[in-house]
Amino acid sequence: MCVAGLCRSVVVSEIISVREEEENSSKDNGSWRKIREMQGRDCRQAFTVSYVERGRNHRWRCAEVTFVCSDAALCQRWVLSIREQPKQLLVYINPYGGKKQGKRIYEQKVAPLFTQAGITTQVIVTEYANHARDHLRADAELKQFDGVVCVGGDGMFSEIIHGLIWRTQVDSGVNPNSPEEALQPCSLRIGIIPAGSTDCICFATVGTNDPVTSALHIIVGDSQPMDACSVHHNDTFLRYSVSLLGYGFFGDVLSDSERKRWMGPARYDFSGLKMFLTHHYYEGTVSYLPAKGIMGTPRDEARCRSGQHSNMKYANECGSKLGEDEWRTVRGKFLAINAASMSCACPRTPKGLSPAAHLADGTTDLILVRKCSRFDFLRHLIRHTSKDDQFDLAFVEVHRVSRFRFMPRHCQSDSDLNLQEFHKRQIFGPLCRDHPACGCSPHYSSWNCDGEVLNHTAIDVRVHCQLIKLFARGIEEMTVFEEVTNPCAI
Ligand SMILES: CCCCCCCCCCCCC/C=C/[C@@H](O)[C@H](COP(=O)(O)O)NC(=O)CCCCCCCCCCCCCCC
Ligand SMILES: Nc1ncnc2c1ncn2[C@@H]1O[C@H](COP(=O)(O)OP(=O)(O)O)[C@@H](O)[C@H]1O
Ligand SMILES: [Ca+2]
């Protein structure tokens, strides 16, 4: 198609909206008349397409081009041809996350784009923690919506998946409390407008933390399946996780930073430095089921974003059953035990905690950092920000797993105690009960589950392949010509 003599093409799946140009439109600044003159007398139709234009660092913006067409019927077909895009969305805004800008970001940057794309919305500004989760679990009329949007950070996203996954299981008669049940995938897609502190789920699935880019991924109707882990304690359901489950360092950073929310996103750096200096290690036993029938290892050079793993054959191979005898066990003293179900890329670590992790292959990368010197731990941490491999250190091991369990040492009698009780003991009692004077590590850390503190230390984690779907397409690889190659699908 040609615009005023220039040949332009627009990818149909990246159209935001199409509007017919009126011959005597008030917006007409003479260009439509000029186009008609150039095209000759037969030309009767023109339409303007808003589409996605790519900027630097995976950012998207909205651009416009006007097409003219001499065939009125063809033109009409174009106008009606926008592919399956969401029409009705349920939006939850956390006004309290990140720098408390969620409402402003939505109203100024996102809502106008939704209106332009003809999307209608029901907007709920949350009034308290778990408002969105509870509304989705019980009250929301989900049938009328094509998707759910959350405006906030990873904690807000977590609320949304807890509501949606729970609701989907209850509606289809699956018992979400049993760790052995195969969960029913959620049909509604979820969009994330980043307005939190880390926003790692948005960054790792879209490639940037930019509200406009996220809004455009929602409007064009992208779809990215994603794994979710269920976390149980004995037979009690605790939480779902899609990004990081971290015990030791990241657990301690989170619990410490929760008391410093007034600092905003900088609280993580403050608590990170504090916990780095504190240098606590924790004893326990990790057992895991190595993933089978999947492609790749956590040490792969090629990242998921490279598109080399976008073969859907493998996406469907997740969930292969293994016998109980294939469990492996690692016992020891750990500075950190991390399970990354996605790369966990974020501005603090653009390549992520586990750069080669896949979004939707039914596995999580289990990273064990054993007790080592502060200097060595710093080397490991710094490698998250450079090209060097953070796993290529003698005290670090990494396994791609489909299930794992953790049991802290000394846990046998305590394991049923609530963590708050542990913390009370740790704060008010001696740090180490075995050697009251030595001031060595406390016995228990807590789990950081996508940025929320878990109440139990002994956990059983199972990956559910492609349990949810996002309005995203993985991170696109740009060539030198800024053309898009394969997006990361799994
Ligand atoms: C010295 C440089 C060290 C750089 C190490 C970077 C590792 C960062 C890994 C970040 C993983 C993020 C995984 C995502 C977790 C989020 O779900 C979750 C919730 O997000 P939300 O607040 O948006 O709801 N966020 C978090 O748990 C925050 C984790 C952030 C940890 C920051 C750690 C900073 C470490 C600084 C160490 C300083 C040592 C300096 C020594 C001189
Ligand atoms: N209206 C609200 N008031 C207080 N807390 C809320 C509200 N809405 C959501 N929350 C909670 O706020 C916490 C942090 O939200 P999140 O969006 O992750 O921001 P951040 O990235 O800054 O942590 C989450 O635990 C979420 O459940
Ligand atoms: Ca995964």
Side-chain angles (χ1 to χ4, degrees), residues 198 244 246 248-261 267-268 271-272 275 445-454:
T198 316
L244 167 69
F249 183 68
F250 287 110
D252 295 348
V253 170
L254 182 73
S255 11
D256 191 70
S257 69
E258 280 298 300
R259 295 189 281 269
K260 301 182 177 65
R261 272 211 162 259
R267 68 190 184 278
Y268 290 133
S271 299
M275 287 308 153
S445 172
S446 46
W447 282 97
N448 173 341
C449 177
D450 293 2
E452 306 294 313
V453 181
L454 287 186

Side-chain angles (χ1 to χ4, degrees), residues 94 96-98 126-129 153 155-156 159 196-197 261 267 452:
N94 177 359
Y96 164 84
T126 62
E127 286 163 20
Y128 46 89
M156 193 57 189
E159 280 201 29
S197 301
R261 272 211 162 259
R267 68 190 184 278
E452 306 294 313

Side-chain angles (χ1 to χ4, degrees), residues 278-283 333-336 370-372 440-443:
T278 310
H279 199 65
H280 278 157
Y281 66 85
Y282 301 94
E283 292 191 62
K333 297 173 177 164
F334 303 98
L335 285 175
R370 288 178 188 268
K371 183 184 168 202
C372 63
C440 66
S441 272
H443 286 131

Side-chain angles (χ1 to χ4, degrees), residues 2-8 35 38-39 68:
C2 292
V3 205
L6 289 172
C7 283
R8 295 279 288 274
I35 292 166
M38 286 171 64
Q39 297 291 318
V68 291

Side-chain angles (χ1 to χ4, degrees), residues 53-68:
E53 189 173 70
R54 288 179 169 71
R56 291 193 167 273
N57 296 327
H58 309 281
R59 280 171 170 249
W60 283 11
R61 284 294 174 267
C62 183
E64 282 196 347
V65 58
T66 301
F67 291 106
V68 291

Side-chain angles (χ1 to χ4, degrees), residues 262-291:
W262 56 270
M263 291 175 86
R267 68 190 184 278
Y268 290 133
D269 303 304
F270 183 91
S271 299
L273 177 61
K274 180 175 161 189
M275 287 308 153
F276 169 75
L277 294 172
T278 310
H279 199 65
H280 278 157
Y281 66 85
Y282 301 94
E283 292 191 62
T285 305
V286 183
S287 31
Y288 61 90
L289 269 179

